[in-house]
Amino acid sequence: MTDTKEPDMTKCPLTIRLCGPRGFCAGVDRAIQIVVLALKRYGAPVYVRHEIVHNRYVVEGLEAMGAIFVEELDEIPTEHREQPVVFSAHGVPKSVPADAESRNLFYLDATCPLVSKVHKQAMRHERLGRHVVLIGHAGHPEVIGTMGQLPEGAVSLVETVEDAENYVPVDPDNLGYVTQTTLSVQDTAAVIAKLQERFPNLTAPSADSICYATTNRQEAVSAAAPGCDLFIIVGAPNSSNSRRLVEVASRAGARNAILVQRASELDFDTIGDIGTLGISAGASAPEVVVNEIIEAFRDRFDATVELAETAIENEHFLVNRELRDVELTVEDMAFVNGR
């Protein structure tokens, strides 16, 4: 995408490097579609345990349609127990669907298939007698969900190279690792290298745990960042993959990199005069917000947008079987994708 228009001599010129791929990945898109389709099929309210994805704009948009977000299943009133409850894209411990069944709740699991793949890899390690080392961030919903697939004590969490250096397993020769899907590729490689140095028999998962979307977005930002006066990542503070993109932009050469949820957060007095701006979006950030931020810069600069594309994504994940015959229209998703 490259603009071809007459320059506005009253505004300072600005080149915007718009990264591709950016924004929604297939897993996030699927999770949002599940809530939208459930509302169409079953009517409001549809309950969602925790944020469906880490983005307040998305959550508020779904709330406006009739979704109700709860932290735990006991918050669902008795009179609504025949309404569906959706589990978030990050995945949940095994105890959560078991709790839902004990309460006779109808649930739809929106766990990203790539997160489910990590769960299966961790369970395979454990089944083959290996203690599981999970590389990830403590407290992140995906980490809680992955650890909750296995018996207590079967998983050890390692966050940093220092953790890997200090980790003391019971049986150093029987270890297998998996990773959170949204980590920094560079940081994770360093942690894995340290673990492999200390434990030569460490078994890798059958496939890379960091998902394609995380890798693709980091590579695009890394390619676009050199020479940027400012790099904006659109995303939420509690979004792991969005925060990692800020770090990647800084490491790759952007003079400044910031995380922004909405255009209203931009402080143009602080931004000042810039010549080259990079923009990308975390996997939970909707395209309508990216467009909103671009328009905010167009209002103040004579902006030319150049697409900085390093990969093309065409992945698509099917929604739950119960929802596949419900029509999903462009209008249904316009609140996040635009029209």
Side-chain angles (χ1 to χ4, degrees):
M1 181 172 107
T2 302
D3 289 349
T4 56
K5 61 182 179 58
E6 292 298 316
D8 184 343
M9 304 308 293
T10 66
K11 298 177 181 178
C12 293
L14 176 68
T15 298
I16 298 177
R17 295 177 186 168
L18 182 61
C19 286
R22 65 182 177 279
F24 284 175
C25 62
V28 164
D29 204 34
R30 173 181 180 269
I32 297 168
Q33 287 178 19
I34 287 170
V35 180
V36 171
L37 291 171
L39 284 162
K40 293 186 76 170
R41 160 136 289 175
Y42 303 105
V46 166
Y47 287 85
V48 184
R49 184 184 179 274
H50 294 175
E51 290 186 334
I52 186 69
V53 297
H54 281 155
N55 191 276
R56 176 47 46 184
Y57 182 97
V58 172
V59 168
E60 290 174 355
L62 292 171
E63 285 176 334
M65 294 180 179
I68 297 176
F69 290 81
V70 296
E71 287 303 303
E72 298 300 341
L73 299 181
D74 60 10
E75 297 174 45
I76 299 173
T78 303
E79 62 269 25
H80 287 163
R81 291 203 169 178
E82 292 187 0
Q83 291 297 105
V85 57
V86 180
F87 300 152
S88 81
H90 308 103
V92 295
K94 283 184 175 179
S95 59
V96 173
D99 184 25
E101 289 167 8
S102 73
R103 298 173 186 274
N104 293 317
L105 295 173
F106 166 47
Y107 65 86
L108 295 165
D109 191 353
T111 301
C112 172
L114 299 181
V115 173
S116 296
K117 184 177 75 172
V118 175
H119 292 176
K120 292 172 184 175
Q121 291 169 340
M123 288 187 286
R124 182 175 186 273
H125 280 319
E126 198 259 349
R127 188 172 66 252
L128 294 174
R130 303 171 191 138
H131 184 81
V132 178
V133 179
L134 171 59
I135 302 168
H137 298 300
H140 189 280
E142 186 184 324
V143 166
I144 293 170
T146 300
M147 295 184 77
Q149 303 305 306
L150 299 176
E152 188 172 351
V155 184
S156 296
L157 181 63
V158 170
E159 296 191 67
T160 64
V161 172
E162 183 179 6
D163 289 346
E165 182 66 63
N166 296 327
Y167 174 54
V168 181
V170 173
D171 184 355
D173 291 325
N174 281 294
L175 299 174
Y177 78 85
V178 294
T179 80
Q180 185 179 327
T181 64
T182 57
L183 300 177
S184 160
V185 174
Q186 183 176 345
D187 290 346
T188 305
V191 175
I192 292 170
K194 176 55 68 176
L195 288 170
Q196 290 173 330
E197 173 191 318
R198 296 191 61 219
F199 310 113
N201 293 328
L202 177 72
T203 303
S206 56
D208 192 356
S209 297
I210 296 179
C211 82
Y212 76 91
T214 297
T215 301
N216 286 349
R217 279 150 191 72
Q218 290 181 19
E219 288 178 350
V221 167
S222 184
C228 283
D229 301 304
L230 174 65
F231 212 108
I232 291 176
I233 303 299
V234 183
N238 61 338
S239 166
S240 174
N241 76 87
S242 297
R243 294 201 311 272
R244 301 294 81 75
L245 290 177
V246 176
E247 296 167 1
V248 169
S250 294
R251 287 176 179 172
R255 201 172 72 192
N256 187 23
I258 60 174
L259 183 66
V260 172
Q261 295 189 82
R262 299 294 301 274
S264 58
E265 297 178 7
L266 296 169
D267 182 352
F268 283 96
D269 290 336
T270 301
I271 289 171
D273 293 331
I274 57 175
T276 304
L277 168 69
I279 297 179
S280 187
S284 302
E287 187 68 5
V288 291
V289 179
V290 175
N291 293 335
E292 173 188 281
I293 288 171
I294 291 173
E295 290 307 310
F297 279 91
R298 286 190 190 277
D299 288 344
R300 293 162 178 83
F301 293 86
D302 178 32
T304 300
V305 179
E306 299 178 352
L307 182 60
E309 187 172 63
T310 55
I312 295 175
E313 294 177 351
N314 52 18
E315 286 77 7
H316 175 73
F317 298 143
L318 290 174
V319 299
N320 309 69
R321 193 174 303 277
E322 299 92 333
L323 303 173
R324 290 178 193 171
D325 63 342
V326 183
E327 182 185 12
L328 184 73
T329 68
V330 172
E331 188 63 30
D332 290 331
M333 299 294 286
F335 76 105
V336 287
N337 294 333
R339 289 175 173 82

